[in-house]
Amino acid sequence: MNKIITEIVPVSINEKEILKNLLEKYNFEFSKWDKRDVNDLGLYGYAYLDHYWTEKERHAFFIEFDKKIAGFAMINAYNPTDEPIDHGIAEFCIMPKYRRMGIGKSALFQILDMFHGKWHLKMHPHNTEAKKFWCNAISEYTKGNYRLYEAVSGTQFDDGAPEDQIFFEN
């Protein structure tokens, strides 16, 4: 099988509007799980978007395949738990056209190789496809050395569902 070649490209401040548009589509898709509503302008918005160009621990990337944007990833150091972390996967999206091709895993592995330390990510418990992806990809990357916590008390999405969380170190 051929190795999937993806490119991880930092999102420049001049490309913020592109990322903002992609986030709207991502949040539209995610709303089937978290039941979030749009605001008065018909948008979901992303409260911390500007922070990705003003805070050193935040990083936004386009995931490109065949010179086209296939998705995006947003990394931060926000820690919703008492467990110390260095990095968190805030958002990660592969557009539907590019799913099940290995692009997401290829991109994830490249991003993880860029940032070493203790990692955290959260998943909505009803998003079973994403949970399967994350568990399989993280298990492969860490050779099974990760921790999955399901229905973590004290954490919840907009619909009240408790978060499933993964912790690992690289």
Side-chain angles (χ1 to χ4, degrees), residues 101-126:
M101 296 172 60
I103 293 170
K105 185 167 68 169
S106 173
L108 174 64
F109 287 9
Q110 289 179 61
I111 290 167
L112 294 177
D113 287 345
M114 293 167 64
F115 301 95
H116 293 98
K118 296 178 181 178
W119 282 86
H120 167 265
L121 67 92
K122 66 180 182 178
M123 304 164 288
H124 195 288
H126 300 132

Short mmCIF file of all heavy atoms in Angstrom, two decimals, residues 101-126:
data_model
loop_
_atom_site.label_atom_id
_atom_site.label_comp_id
_atom_site.label_asym_id
_atom_site.label_seq_id
_atom_site.Cartn_x
_atom_site.Cartn_y
_atom_site.Cartn_z
N MET A 101 -8.96 7.51 4.03
CA MET A 101 -7.86 7.39 3.06
C MET A 101 -6.51 7.32 3.77
O MET A 101 -5.49 7.20 3.11
CB MET A 101 -7.88 8.58 2.09
CG MET A 101 -9.12 8.66 1.22
SD MET A 101 -9.20 10.20 0.26
CE MET A 101 -7.72 10.12 -0.71
N GLY A 102 -6.50 7.48 5.07
CA GLY A 102 -5.26 7.50 5.82
C GLY A 102 -4.69 8.90 6.01
O GLY A 102 -3.64 9.08 6.62
N ILE A 103 -5.38 9.91 5.49
CA ILE A 103 -4.90 11.29 5.57
C ILE A 103 -4.90 11.77 7.02
O ILE A 103 -3.94 12.40 7.48
CB ILE A 103 -5.74 12.20 4.66
CG1 ILE A 103 -5.49 11.83 3.21
CG2 ILE A 103 -5.45 13.67 4.93
CD1 ILE A 103 -6.44 12.49 2.22
N GLY A 104 -5.95 11.48 7.74
CA GLY A 104 -6.04 11.92 9.13
C GLY A 104 -4.93 11.34 9.99
O GLY A 104 -4.28 12.06 10.75
N LYS A 105 -4.69 10.05 9.85
CA LYS A 105 -3.65 9.41 10.64
C LYS A 105 -2.28 9.94 10.25
O LYS A 105 -1.45 10.24 11.12
CB LYS A 105 -3.72 7.89 10.47
CG LYS A 105 -2.74 7.16 11.37
CD LYS A 105 -3.00 5.67 11.44
CE LYS A 105 -2.71 5.02 10.12
NZ LYS A 105 -2.71 3.55 10.20
N SER A 106 -2.02 10.09 8.96
CA SER A 106 -0.75 10.63 8.50
C SER A 106 -0.53 12.03 9.06
O SER A 106 0.56 12.35 9.57
CB SER A 106 -0.73 10.67 6.97
OG SER A 106 0.41 11.34 6.51
N ALA A 107 -1.55 12.87 9.00
CA ALA A 107 -1.44 14.24 9.52
C ALA A 107 -1.23 14.22 11.03
O ALA A 107 -0.38 14.95 11.55
CB ALA A 107 -2.69 15.03 9.15
N LEU A 108 -2.00 13.41 11.71
CA LEU A 108 -1.87 13.33 13.17
C LEU A 108 -0.46 12.94 13.57
O LEU A 108 0.14 13.58 14.43
CB LEU A 108 -2.88 12.33 13.74
CG LEU A 108 -2.74 12.07 15.23
CD1 LEU A 108 -3.04 13.33 16.04
CD2 LEU A 108 -3.65 10.92 15.65
N PHE A 109 0.09 11.92 12.95
CA PHE A 109 1.43 11.46 13.31
C PHE A 109 2.47 12.56 13.06
O PHE A 109 3.38 12.75 13.87
CB PHE A 109 1.80 10.19 12.53
CG PHE A 109 1.07 8.95 12.98
CD1 PHE A 109 0.02 8.99 13.89
CD2 PHE A 109 1.44 7.73 12.48
CE1 PHE A 109 -0.64 7.85 14.29
CE2 PHE A 109 0.80 6.56 12.88
CZ PHE A 109 -0.25 6.63 13.80
N GLN A 110 2.33 13.29 11.98
CA GLN A 110 3.26 14.39 11.71
C GLN A 110 3.16 15.47 12.78
O GLN A 110 4.18 16.00 13.25
CB GLN A 110 2.99 15.00 10.34
CG GLN A 110 3.40 14.11 9.19
CD GLN A 110 3.08 14.78 7.86
OE1 GLN A 110 3.62 15.84 7.57
NE2 GLN A 110 2.22 14.17 7.07
N ILE A 111 1.95 15.81 13.16
CA ILE A 111 1.75 16.84 14.19
C ILE A 111 2.30 16.37 15.53
O ILE A 111 3.00 17.12 16.23
CB ILE A 111 0.26 17.22 14.29
CG1 ILE A 111 -0.15 17.99 13.02
CG2 ILE A 111 -0.01 18.04 15.54
CD1 ILE A 111 -1.63 18.16 12.84
N LEU A 112 2.04 15.13 15.88
CA LEU A 112 2.57 14.61 17.15
C LEU A 112 4.10 14.62 17.14
O LEU A 112 4.71 14.90 18.18
CB LEU A 112 2.03 13.21 17.41
CG LEU A 112 0.52 13.10 17.66
CD1 LEU A 112 0.11 11.65 17.84
CD2 LEU A 112 0.08 13.96 18.83
N ASP A 113 4.69 14.34 16.00
CA ASP A 113 6.15 14.37 15.90
C ASP A 113 6.72 15.78 16.04
O ASP A 113 7.88 15.96 16.39
CB ASP A 113 6.62 13.76 14.58
CG ASP A 113 6.48 12.24 14.54
OD1 ASP A 113 6.28 11.62 15.61
OD2 ASP A 113 6.56 11.69 13.42
N MET A 114 5.89 16.79 15.79
CA MET A 114 6.33 18.18 15.90
C MET A 114 6.35 18.67 17.35
O MET A 114 7.08 19.60 17.68
CB MET A 114 5.39 19.08 15.09
CG MET A 114 5.46 18.87 13.59
SD MET A 114 4.10 19.67 12.70
CE MET A 114 4.39 21.40 13.02
N PHE A 115 5.51 18.09 18.19
CA PHE A 115 5.34 18.55 19.57
C PHE A 115 5.45 17.36 20.51
O PHE A 115 4.58 16.49 20.51
CB PHE A 115 3.96 19.19 19.76
CG PHE A 115 3.71 20.38 18.87
CD1 PHE A 115 3.04 20.21 17.66
CD2 PHE A 115 4.12 21.65 19.23
CE1 PHE A 115 2.79 21.29 16.83
CE2 PHE A 115 3.88 22.73 18.41
CZ PHE A 115 3.21 22.56 17.21
N HIS A 116 6.48 17.34 21.31
CA HIS A 116 6.67 16.22 22.23
C HIS A 116 6.21 16.61 23.63
O HIS A 116 6.25 17.78 24.01
CB HIS A 116 8.13 15.78 22.24
CG HIS A 116 8.55 15.18 20.94
ND1 HIS A 116 9.20 15.90 19.98
CD2 HIS A 116 8.33 13.96 20.42
CE1 HIS A 116 9.41 15.14 18.93
NE2 HIS A 116 8.88 13.96 19.16
N GLY A 117 5.76 15.60 24.37
CA GLY A 117 5.34 15.83 25.74
C GLY A 117 4.10 15.04 26.08
O GLY A 117 3.79 14.02 25.46
N LYS A 118 3.38 15.54 27.07
CA LYS A 118 2.15 14.91 27.54
C LYS A 118 0.97 15.52 26.79
O LYS A 118 0.83 16.75 26.74
CB LYS A 118 2.00 15.11 29.05
CG LYS A 118 3.09 14.43 29.83
CD LYS A 118 2.95 14.68 31.31
CE LYS A 118 4.09 13.98 32.03
NZ LYS A 118 4.04 14.23 33.47
N TRP A 119 0.12 14.65 26.24
CA TRP A 119 -0.99 15.07 25.38
C TRP A 119 -2.33 14.72 25.99
O TRP A 119 -2.47 13.75 26.74
CB TRP A 119 -0.89 14.35 24.03
CG TRP A 119 0.12 14.93 23.10
CD1 TRP A 119 1.46 14.63 23.05
CD2 TRP A 119 -0.12 15.88 22.06
NE1 TRP A 119 2.05 15.36 22.06
CE2 TRP A 119 1.11 16.12 21.43
CE3 TRP A 119 -1.26 16.54 21.62
CZ2 TRP A 119 1.23 17.00 20.37
CZ3 TRP A 119 -1.15 17.42 20.55
CH2 TRP A 119 0.09 17.65 19.95
N HIS A 120 -3.33 15.49 25.57
CA HIS A 120 -4.73 15.26 25.95
C HIS A 120 -5.61 15.51 24.74
O HIS A 120 -5.33 16.41 23.93
CB HIS A 120 -5.12 16.23 27.07
CG HIS A 120 -6.59 16.30 27.31
ND1 HIS A 120 -7.39 17.26 26.72
CD2 HIS A 120 -7.41 15.53 28.05
CE1 HIS A 120 -8.65 17.07 27.12
NE2 HIS A 120 -8.69 16.04 27.91
N LEU A 121 -6.66 14.73 24.61
CA LEU A 121 -7.71 15.03 23.65
C LEU A 121 -9.03 14.54 24.20
O LEU A 121 -9.08 13.65 25.04
CB LEU A 121 -7.42 14.43 22.27
CG LEU A 121 -7.45 12.92 22.10
CD1 LEU A 121 -8.82 12.43 21.68
CD2 LEU A 121 -6.42 12.52 21.06
N LYS A 122 -10.09 15.19 23.76
CA LYS A 122 -11.42 14.81 24.21
C LYS A 122 -12.26 14.41 23.01
O LYS A 122 -12.03 14.86 21.89
CB LYS A 122 -12.08 15.94 24.98
CG LYS A 122 -12.40 17.16 24.14
CD LYS A 122 -13.05 18.25 24.97
CE LYS A 122 -13.40 19.44 24.09
NZ LYS A 122 -14.07 20.49 24.82
N MET A 123 -13.27 13.56 23.31
CA MET A 123 -14.17 13.08 22.25
C MET A 123 -15.59 13.10 22.78
O MET A 123 -15.83 12.83 23.97
CB MET A 123 -13.82 11.64 21.88
CG MET A 123 -12.39 11.43 21.44
SD MET A 123 -11.92 9.68 21.45
CE MET A 123 -11.84 9.35 23.21
N HIS A 124 -16.52 13.39 21.90
CA HIS A 124 -17.93 13.28 22.27
C HIS A 124 -18.29 11.79 22.25
O HIS A 124 -18.00 11.09 21.27
CB HIS A 124 -18.82 14.05 21.29
CG HIS A 124 -20.20 14.25 21.81
ND1 HIS A 124 -21.11 13.23 21.88
CD2 HIS A 124 -20.81 15.35 22.31
CE1 HIS A 124 -22.24 13.69 22.39
NE2 HIS A 124 -22.08 14.98 22.66
N PRO A 125 -18.93 11.28 23.30
CA PRO A 125 -19.20 9.84 23.37
C PRO A 125 -20.12 9.31 22.27
O PRO A 125 -20.07 8.12 21.96
CB PRO A 125 -19.83 9.66 24.76
CG PRO A 125 -20.36 11.01 25.12
CD PRO A 125 -19.44 12.00 24.45
N HIS A 126 -20.93 10.17 21.67
CA HIS A 126 -21.82 9.71 20.60
C HIS A 126 -21.17 9.73 19.22
O HIS A 126 -21.73 9.20 18.27
CB HIS A 126 -23.11 10.55 20.59
CG HIS A 126 -23.86 10.45 21.88
ND1 HIS A 126 -24.33 11.56 22.55
CD2 HIS A 126 -24.18 9.39 22.66
CE1 HIS A 126 -24.91 11.18 23.66
NE2 HIS A 126 -24.83 9.87 23.76
#
